[in-house]
C-alpha cells in the first residue's frame, strides 16, 4: 500500500521544473497534515527533487545525476593550509563535514562541536582535548604545537591534530575557497553524466556491409552509427549519405568516414556541444583513451543537459556569476529606441580593476560576453556560446565609473549570430566589440 509520504514524493516528481511548492499547498492539494508534507518536502530536498532558494522559496528542480557536493578530507585540508600533522594520522582520510572557530568558552563550544567537524583554535589545550573527545579534529593556528597528552589522545581516537602558521581568519578563508571550488566543479556537467552506455548503443563493425547498415536503420530508425574494429575500437562513423548509391555487398569500412570526431567522459557537456554545433554533428561517439567505444552522446542529449543545468540553482559563484549579478538591465529605455534589445548598466568596483585602477580588459570581455548571451535570449529566445570576440578598448575606464553597454544584432542565422557591442561612460564611447556566437535552440 502506498503511504502518504510516497504519494507526496510522487506528486512532487510530476511537477514541472521551476514550480514553487510549500508545506501548506502540498497539505491542501493532497489532503495530508502539514507535518507529513513538511517531512516529505525535506526528503525530496535530500533526494535532489527540490531546492530552497533565499527570497524565492522552495522550487522543483531536476534531479542531478551526480552529487552536487563532495566533502574535503582532513588530508586535503593539510595541503590547503600548508600544515603539519602532530597526531592522529590514521584519521586523515576521514571527511570534514564542517569547521568551527574556537573563539568562545569551552562550555559554549559544546553545542557546535559534532563528529567529523574541525575545530580551529590556538594554543588552548583544554579546548583541543574537548574537541577530540567530541569526535572532532583539531587545527592549531599561529604555529603553536600541543602537549604529548593531546597527541596520544589523537592517536588513540584516530582524529587528526594539525598545525599551521596561518591565523584563524586566513585558514577559514582558505578552507571556504576550497569548498566553493569543489561546489563549482561539481556543478559542471560532464559527458559522463549524460552519455548512452555501450550496451545500449547501436554500432557496426568494419567487416559488415551496407546491407547490415540498412537493416539496422530499418530496425532503429537511426541514420548514424559508430564503426569499430574487432577489438571494439572506434575507426569511423557511417551515415545515410555515406551509403547512398552503394551496393548492399560493399564493406562498411569502404564507405565510412574515417578519423571521426569523438569525446571522452571527462569532457564538459558545454565543450562537446560546441564541437557538435561547429561540425554539424548529430551524434558523437564516446571512447576511452585507447579509442575503445564505450557509448554515444546525441546533440539532443547535450542541448537538453545544458538547458537543464541553466535552470538549476547555483551552489558556488564563479567570476561569470559575480559579473552577471552586477549587470543591470535598463528598464527606462529611450523613446527613440525602436529595437526591442535592452541596454545594460554596470558599475566598476575595486575588485574589477587592474593594477593601475582601471577596468580590467579581461573583465570587460566577460561583461560583453554575458551581455551578448543575455541579449540573444531576449531577442531570439536562444541560448548561445561565444565563438569569437574582437574587442577594442578606446579609453581607460576608471574605478567607480558607471558604464552602459549597448548591443545590436546585425546578422543572425539558424546556427550563428553576429553582434555589435558599444560601451559608453557618460555618453563617451570607451570600447567597441564584434562578437560571433553559436546558437542553441531553446526548448
Amino acid at each position: 500500500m502506498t503511504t502518504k509520504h510516497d504519494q507526496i514524493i510522487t506528486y512532487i516528481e510530476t511537477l514541472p521544473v521551476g514550480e514553487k511548492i510549500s508545506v501548506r499547498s502540498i497539505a491542501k492539494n493532497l489532503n495530508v497534515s502539514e507535518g507529513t508534507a513538511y517531512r516529505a518536502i525535506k526528503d525530496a530536498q535530500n533526494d535532489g527533487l527540490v531546492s530552497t532558494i533565499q527570497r524565492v522559496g522552495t522550487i522543483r528542480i531536476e534531479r542531478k545525476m551526480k552529487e552536487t557536493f563532495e566533502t574535503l578530507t582532513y588530508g586535503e585540508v593539510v595541503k590547503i593550509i600548508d600544515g603539519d600533522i602532530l597526531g592522529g594520522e590514521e584519521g586523515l582520510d576521514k571527511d570534514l563535514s564542517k569547521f568551527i572557530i574556537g573563539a568562545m568558552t569551552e562550555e559554549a563550544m559544546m553545542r557546535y562541536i559534532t563528529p567529523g567537524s574541525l575545530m580551529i583554535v590556538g594554543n588552548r589545550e583544554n579546548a583541543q582535548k574537548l574537541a577530540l573527545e567530541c569526535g572532532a579534529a583539531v587545527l592549531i593556528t599561529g604555529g603553536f604545537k600541543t602537549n604529548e597528552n593531546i597527541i596520544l589522545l589523537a592517536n588513540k581516537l584516530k582524529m587528526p591534530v594539525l598545525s599551521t602558521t596561518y591565523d584563524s581568519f586566513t585558514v577559514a578563508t582558505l578552507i571556504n575557497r576550497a569548498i566553493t571550488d569543489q561546489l563549482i566543479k561539481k556543478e559542471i556537467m560532464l559527458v559522463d553524466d549524460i552519455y548512452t552506455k555501450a550496451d545500449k548503443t547501436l554500432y557496426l563493425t568494419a567487416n559488415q556491409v551496407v546491407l547490415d547498415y540498412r537493416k539496422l536503420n530499418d530496425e532503429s530508425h537511426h541514420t548514424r552509427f559508430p564503426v569499430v574494429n574487432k577489438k571494439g575500437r572506434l575507426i569511423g562513423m557511417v551515415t545515410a549519405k555515406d551509403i547512398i548509391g552503394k551496393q548492399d555487398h560493399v564493406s562498411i569500412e569502404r564507405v565510412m568516414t574515417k578519423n571521426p570526431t569523438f569525446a571522452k567522459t571527462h569532457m564538459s557537456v558545454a565543450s562537446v556541444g560546441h564541437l557538435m554545433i561547429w561540425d554539424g554533428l548529430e551524434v558523437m561517439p564516446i571512447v576511452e583513451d585507447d579509442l575503445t567505444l564505450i557509448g554515444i552522446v546525441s546533440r539532443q542529449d547535450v542541448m537538453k543537459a545544458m538547458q537543464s543545468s541553466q535552470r538549476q540553482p547555483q551552489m558556488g559563484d564563479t567570476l561569470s556569476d559575480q559579473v552577471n549579478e552586477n549587470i543591470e538591465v535598463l528598464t527606462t529605455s529611450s523613446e527613440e529606441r525602436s529595437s526591442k534589445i535592452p541596454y545594460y548598466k554596470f558599475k566598476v568596483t575595486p575588485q574589477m580593476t587592474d593594477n593601475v585602477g582601471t577596468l580590467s580588459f579581461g573583465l570587460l570581455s566577460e561583461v560583453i560576453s554575458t551581455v551578448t548571451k543575455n541579449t540573444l535570449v531576449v531577442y531570439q529566445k536562444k541560448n548561445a556560446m561565444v565563438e569569437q570576440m574582437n574587442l577594442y578598448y578606446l579609453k581607460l575606464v576608471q574605478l567607480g565609473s558607471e558604464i552602459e553597454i549597448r548591443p545590436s544584432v546585425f546578422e543572425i542565422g539558424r546556427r550563428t549570430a553576429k553582434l555589435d557591442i558599444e560601451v559608453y561612460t557618460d555618453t563617451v564611447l570607451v570600447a567597441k566589440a564584434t562578437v560571433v556566437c553559436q546558437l542553441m535552440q531553446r526548448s
Side-chain angles (χ1 to χ4, degrees):
M1 181 179 176
T2 305
T3 65
K4 290 183 178 180
H5 182 280
D6 293 335
Q7 290 174 1
I8 296 170
I9 297 295
T10 302
Y11 172 76
I12 292 173
E13 288 178 332
T14 64
L15 296 175
V17 171
E19 180 83 4
K20 289 184 66 174
I21 64 173
S22 68
V23 171
R24 184 173 295 178
S25 66
I26 293 290
K28 181 179 179 181
N29 291 339
L30 299 183
N31 195 25
V32 297
S33 69
E34 290 191 358
T36 301
Y38 174 82
R39 289 189 291 272
I41 290 173
K42 280 296 179 185
D43 283 349
Q45 188 166 352
N46 293 334
D47 290 339
L49 287 171
V50 301
S51 179
T52 301
I53 303 174
Q54 190 176 9
R55 296 190 299 275
V56 175
T58 302
I59 63 170
R60 171 76 165 93
I61 64 172
E62 286 190 315
R63 192 197 304 266
K64 285 197 174 183
M65 294 175 237
K66 61 176 179 176
E67 294 296 323
T68 58
F69 179 72
E70 182 179 328
T71 55
L72 295 170
T73 65
Y74 295 117
E76 289 167 335
V77 170
V78 175
K79 298 175 186 176
I80 293 165
I81 62 169
D82 193 21
D84 297 320
I85 305 163
L86 303 181
E89 191 168 353
E90 291 185 50
L92 288 174
D93 60 346
K94 294 179 179 178
D95 288 338
L96 161 68
S97 59
K98 68 176 183 178
F99 65 87
I100 313 126
I101 297 178
M104 59 192 85
T105 65
E106 290 155 30
E107 184 179 353
M109 287 180 189
M110 289 296 296
R111 72 164 83 175
Y112 299 105
I113 304 174
T114 57
S117 57
L118 176 68
M119 171 64 75
I120 301 173
V121 69
N123 57 344
R124 297 170 57 191
E125 292 174 355
N126 288 339
Q128 296 165 15
K129 181 182 177 184
L130 176 64
L132 289 170
E133 289 174 342
C134 293
V138 174
L139 173 56
I140 305 171
T141 58
F144 295 108
K145 303 300 178 183
T146 191
N147 66 40
E148 191 63 29
N149 291 331
I150 297 293
I151 294 173
L152 290 173
L153 181 60
N155 291 335
K156 177 183 176 182
L157 299 175
K158 298 180 181 179
M159 288 302 295
V161 173
L162 313 174
S163 175
T164 180
T165 56
Y166 295 127
D167 59 33
S168 297
F169 175 80
T170 304
V171 165
T173 302
L174 290 170
I175 295 175
N176 259 330
R177 173 60 61 86
I179 291 172
T180 300
D181 287 349
Q182 282 194 325
L183 285 169
I184 292 170
K185 288 177 183 177
K186 298 304 284 184
E187 285 176 355
I188 298 172
M189 193 170 288
L190 305 179
V191 171
D192 190 42
D193 301 309
I194 66 167
Y195 80 102
T196 302
K197 306 294 190 293
D199 58 349
K200 296 180 181 178
T201 297
L202 300 175
Y203 58 87
L204 294 163
T205 58
N207 59 358
Q208 289 184 286
V209 296
V210 169
L211 180 60
D212 295 312
Y213 170 92
R214 293 191 168 113
K215 289 179 180 178
L216 197 58
N217 170 242
D218 289 340
E219 293 169 4
S220 66
H221 302 294
H222 295 166
T223 59
R224 299 168 176 84
F225 305 102
V227 182
V228 300
N229 61 19
K230 58 184 178 182
K231 293 184 178 180
R233 292 176 180 167
L234 180 71
I235 59 172
M237 285 288 292
V238 61
T239 67
K241 68 177 183 179
D242 295 324
I243 57 97
I244 292 175
K246 302 296 190 298
Q247 298 295 320
D248 286 350
H249 64 273
V250 175
S251 169
I252 288 293
E253 191 170 14
R254 289 183 57 189
V255 300
M256 71 180 184
T257 300
K258 297 180 180 179
N259 301 318
T261 304
F262 57 81
K264 297 183 180 180
T265 54
H266 67 268
M267 295 173 66
S268 71
V269 170
S271 66
V272 171
H274 184 279
L275 283 173
M276 296 182 81
I277 294 172
W278 184 254
D279 293 335
L281 303 176
E282 296 296 330
V283 172
M284 185 177 287
I286 311 302
V287 300
E288 293 181 342
D289 290 339
D290 63 357
L291 295 184
T292 298
L293 182 71
I294 58 173
I296 60 169
V297 65
S298 72
R299 188 166 168 178
Q300 184 179 6
D301 293 334
V302 168
M303 298 310 157
K304 182 179 179 182
M306 291 183 69
Q307 290 162 7
S308 168
S309 66
Q310 290 170 359
R311 292 194 294 263
Q312 300 289 352
Q314 294 296 112
M315 300 293 290
D317 280 345
T318 63
L319 175 61
S320 180
D321 296 327
Q322 294 170 29
V323 167
N324 202 25
E325 287 175 2
N326 285 285
I327 296 176
E328 180 184 345
V329 180
L330 291 178
T331 53
T332 54
S333 307
S334 169
E335 294 180 0
E336 299 175 358
R337 193 183 309 159
S338 59
S339 170
K340 295 180 181 179
I341 300 175
Y343 286 178
Y344 301 84
K345 187 168 66 175
F346 190 85
K347 188 169 184 179
V348 181
T349 64
Q351 294 87 353
M352 301 168 188
T353 58
D354 55 22
N355 58 351
V356 294
T358 58
L359 178 62
S360 163
F361 187 87
L363 195 129
L364 179 58
S365 300
E366 182 62 39
V367 171
I368 290 173
S369 176
T370 301
V371 164
T372 297
K373 288 183 277 191
N374 289 347
T375 298
L376 288 169
V377 168
V378 172
Y379 183 68
Q380 283 285 317
K381 300 292 186 282
K382 291 182 179 179
N383 294 314
M385 290 188 291
V386 174
E387 177 66 32
Q388 181 181 341
M389 181 189 300
N390 294 321
L391 173 59
Y392 302 94
Y393 210 158
L394 306 177
K395 292 181 183 293
L396 295 179
V397 180
Q398 301 299 318
L399 170 64
S401 299
E402 195 170 83
I403 63 176
E404 185 175 308
I405 304 114
R406 305 178 184 177
S408 61
V409 179
F410 64 83
E411 185 177 314
I412 191 161
R414 190 167 64 91
R415 292 187 176 179
T416 62
K418 293 180 182 178
L419 287 83
D420 181 73
I421 311 288
E422 293 182 340
V423 182
Y424 289 84
T425 300
D426 296 328
T427 70
V428 176
L429 182 65
V430 294
K432 189 176 178 67
T434 302
V435 187
V436 180
C437 300
Q438 294 183 18
L439 300 177
M440 297 178 293
Q441 186 67 45
R442 302 184 81 200
S443 60

